[in-house]
Amino acid sequence: MDLNELISELGLRVVGDASGVRVCDITEDSRTAVPGSLFIARVGLKFDGRKSAADAAACGAVAVLADTDQFDPPLPKHDRPVVLVTDRVPEAAARLAERFYGDPTSRLQLVGVTGTNGKTSVATMTRAILQAFPVKGMGGPSGVRTGLIGTVEVDDGREVARAAMTTPPAVELSRTFATMVDAGCRAACMEVSSHALDQRRADALRFAVGIFTNLTGDHLDYHKTVEAYLAAKRRLFELLPPPPDGVRVLNADDPASDAMDGPNARWCSGNGDPRATWRVVAESADLSGMVLAIESPIGVMRGRAPVVGGHNAMNVLQSVAAADAVLERLGLDAERRRAGIEAALGAVHPPRGRLQRVSGDDDAVSVFVDYAHTDDALQRTLTAVRAVLPEGSTLTVVFGCGGNRDTTKRPRMGKVAAALADRVVITSDNPRSERPAAIVDDILKGITGASRAKATVQVERGRAIRHAITTARDGEVVVIAGKGHETEQISCDAAGNPVTRHFDDAEEARIVLRERRMRLGSVAGGGAVQA
């Protein structure tokens, strides 16, 4: 694409001669620059892209987008235009990327999900409903072919890959959405983090639906204040198009949703809030799922969803409201939408690491892995499991807190764990450069009085999981919280160097469960392990 065409009408000024310059690629990483690249010299939290502009030029970059035309080290001597941005380089980069890749989100029904907790679940569940919707001719063999960008994985319509971050950089976003369009996707669901919204990574995207799940204390190490955190979340709804387009799916049970209110709001409630026109009731529930009744403007939908907990009932409800908005925009009538969504409820499985059951039906102990890493999320998870505990069962939680992150939540998480679990095993969760023992001490500050007797400390996470499962009684439920889908443990060696090693809570739990089955089988068989 011609550089002048790429930047036209965006209010950008060019230093140097841009005539005849052809751009065949956009990148923010000088190491990936190729002949024909436009290099985005963005200043990030850890790296200053302006210091890499010369490296990008040496690799063949034909132009640079930056907030200055003076670089250290300087660009090579021969003429190379610099596209100047007076204010926000990330916002300009987002708009250039979306234009370069053919404005792909204008051809997708794009659903954005933001909030402290539940983003992964709601994005995944919305996608599951759309793809399981019984209708042909929507990009898939049956259902609406839908891409996904989230914390756990990215599905661009061609392949599924592990996600590197919740919301990728703007250039990668537009590139991925373009692949979705080429692959025949009609819709896409994405998690939109507060970091991404604050950094304007999503500013050029054309959202059809915005979902707000909730707001609790987290990421204050970045945002500094709750007000700034809330403002970052609100940015998603400022990006929605004006009526009649742009649907807001809001949680009436969370007061922070008031800040997201506006045209085309679909208020959702699991507590019977009077302003909610979308409501959910769990008619029955056990450790394997819930029978949900959903009241909505398109009628009542009822079905069994294999998810656990009141927070997941709300996640399903918001996913249903969002999927309905997408299907309405695709031209389906209300009764067809109601019947199809009802039929698709059984496909709404929890995403990997979100209250994911890793034990089998033949295990005497039920084990769940969950990503809960804030006090609010931990409270939701433990409350959900306690509500469906079989009679006479007890609840054990294994958790830690990440190092070099918000320290204020540590005692709060300890307090929640002690209040809701019968046994608490405190351990490490990505200690990074902090001493694990110091993190544990912070957690223990929230566990006071008689509750202290519930707590056991096993700093090494593998040992903590083993201890919780091997000492559990038959019928006990163990929740391993904090890492969820993550497969790494980040710490430091004796010299203070960062060390990353493979660690998967689900894998560790399955190993111990298998050993427990074998041991019990050996006892039952009088010394011979039962097959």
Side-chain angles (χ1 to χ4, degrees):
M1 176 180 285
D2 181 81
L3 178 60
N4 281 323
E5 179 185 354
L6 180 62
I7 66 175
S8 66
E9 300 179 4
L10 292 179
L12 303 175
R13 183 167 67 90
V14 177
V15 176
D17 185 9
S19 59
V21 175
R22 301 286 298 178
V23 175
C24 65
D25 171 71
I26 300 179
T27 183
E28 295 183 339
D29 187 340
S30 62
R31 297 167 299 182
T32 65
V34 296
S37 290
L38 168 63
F39 176 66
I40 310 297
R42 180 173 62 87
V43 180
L45 294 176
K46 297 181 179 179
F47 302 102
D48 186 344
R50 295 172 301 189
K51 296 181 179 180
S52 300
D55 292 337
C59 291
V62 293
V64 177
L65 174 73
D67 59 4
T68 179
D69 62 345
Q70 301 297 314
F71 300 96
D72 183 18
L75 293 177
K77 294 296 184 182
H78 63 275
D79 191 31
R80 182 174 281 97
V82 175
V83 181
L84 278 179
V85 182
T86 56
D87 185 15
R88 294 183 178 274
V89 172
E91 182 177 342
R95 300 193 185 285
L96 288 176
E98 190 71 358
R99 178 177 287 184
F100 179 80
Y101 287 105
D103 201 18
T105 54
S106 68
R107 290 175 283 168
L108 292 167
Q109 298 297 320
L110 180 59
V111 178
V113 188
T114 197
T116 305
N117 303 310
K119 295 187 297 295
T120 299
S121 294
V122 172
T124 304
M125 290 175 181
T126 304
R127 174 176 177 264
I129 293 170
L130 291 171
Q131 297 216 132
F133 191 87
V135 61
K136 296 183 179 180
M138 291 288 182
S142 65
V144 180
R145 192 165 189 176
T146 305
L148 177 69
I149 296 177
T151 303
V152 176
E153 64 185 24
V154 175
D155 182 353
D156 63 8
R158 291 179 177 170
E159 62 181 7
V160 179
R162 179 182 170 188
M165 61 176 64
T166 297
T167 309
V171 174
E172 186 177 338
L173 282 172
S174 293
R175 183 188 302 122
T176 302
F177 287 127
T179 302
M180 291 180 189
V181 171
D182 290 343
C185 291
R186 299 290 300 275
C189 299
M190 69 174 291
E191 299 178 51
V192 195
S193 70
S194 59
H195 294 67
L197 289 163
D198 182 64
Q199 295 165 13
R200 300 299 195 261
R201 294 182 221 160
D203 267 32
L205 305 181
R206 301 193 184 187
F207 291 96
V209 181
I211 306 174
F212 178 73
T213 58
N214 50 63
L215 190 89
T216 62
D218 197 18
H219 302 305
L220 296 188
D221 53 324
Y222 175 88
H223 294 288
K224 307 305 180 186
T225 67
V226 173
E227 291 74 20
Y229 185 31
L230 180 67
K233 296 294 187 186
R234 187 167 57 240
R235 179 66 183 163
L236 173 62
F237 301 92
E238 295 169 355
L239 295 173
L240 288 176
D245 296 323
V247 175
R248 302 160 192 259
V249 177
L250 307 178
N251 179 359
D253 300 334
D254 191 307
S257 290
D258 292 343
M260 317 299 162
D261 196 9
N264 290 353
R266 296 187 174 194
W267 288 95
C268 301
S269 177
N271 297 332
D273 189 288
R275 62 181 166 173
T277 55
W278 295 76
R279 302 185 184 187
V280 64
V281 174
E283 296 183 335
S284 63
D286 55 35
L287 287 173
S288 64
M290 299 180 285
V291 175
L292 300 177
I294 296 174
E295 298 178 6
S296 77
I298 62 172
V300 176
M301 293 162 273
R302 179 176 282 103
R304 183 174 180 83
V307 295
V308 176
H311 67 295
N312 267 325
M314 172 58 80
N315 289 340
V316 172
L317 176 64
Q318 290 194 286
S319 300
V320 165
D324 176 70
V326 169
L327 294 166
E328 182 178 22
R329 289 170 62 94
L330 290 174
L332 279 71
D333 63 66
E335 176 53 30
R336 194 175 181 189
R337 301 196 310 268
R338 186 206 64 77
I341 291 173
E342 184 176 69
L345 286 177
V348 181
H349 291 270
R352 182 163 59 88
R354 298 322 193 260
L355 209 48
Q356 173 192 358
R357 187 170 184 171
V358 298
S359 53
D361 293 338
D362 54 345
D363 283 308
V365 177
S366 296
V367 180
F368 291 83
V369 168
D370 192 70
Y371 189 52
H373 59 282
T374 67
D375 49 307
D376 179 76
L378 189 62
Q379 182 173 16
R380 289 169 184 260
T381 294
L382 297 182
T383 299
V385 174
R386 183 161 286 285
V388 293
L389 278 181
E391 186 176 353
S393 294
T394 53
L395 174 60
T396 293
V397 61
V398 180
F399 81 102
C401 292
N404 307 121
R405 296 294 186 270
D406 184 3
T407 61
T408 64
K409 66 183 180 182
R410 294 172 184 173
R412 297 198 304 266
M413 290 184 70
K415 183 178 180 179
V416 166
L420 293 173
D422 300 293
R423 293 197 301 152
V424 178
V425 182
I426 303 171
T427 188
S428 296
D429 181 350
N430 292 333
R432 299 182 177 88
S433 66
E434 283 196 69
R435 287 191 309 111
I439 299 173
V440 169
D441 287 343
D442 285 344
I443 296 170
L444 286 171
K445 290 175 184 176
I447 305 177
T448 58
S451 295
R452 198 65 171 257
K454 294 182 177 183
T456 301
V457 175
Q458 290 281 351
V459 173
E460 202 283 312
R461 194 171 180 91
R463 290 181 181 177
I465 292 171
R466 178 172 295 278
H467 170 79
I469 295 175
T470 56
T471 59
R473 298 181 300 168
D474 286 0
E476 191 165 331
V477 178
V478 177
V479 173
I480 306 168
K483 297 184 75 65
H485 65 283
E486 293 178 353
T487 58
E488 295 176 340
Q489 181 79 318
I490 305 170
S491 59
C492 281
D493 61 19
N497 301 309
V499 175
T500 300
R501 65 183 180 90
H502 177 79
F503 191 94
D504 185 319
D505 282 353
E507 286 180 7
E508 295 290 322
R510 290 189 182 106
I511 290 171
V512 182
L513 286 166
R514 183 168 62 248
E515 292 174 357
R516 181 184 171 111
R517 288 195 303 270
M518 293 175 67
R519 184 173 66 252
L520 294 177
S522 176
V523 171
V529 176
Q530 302 297 300

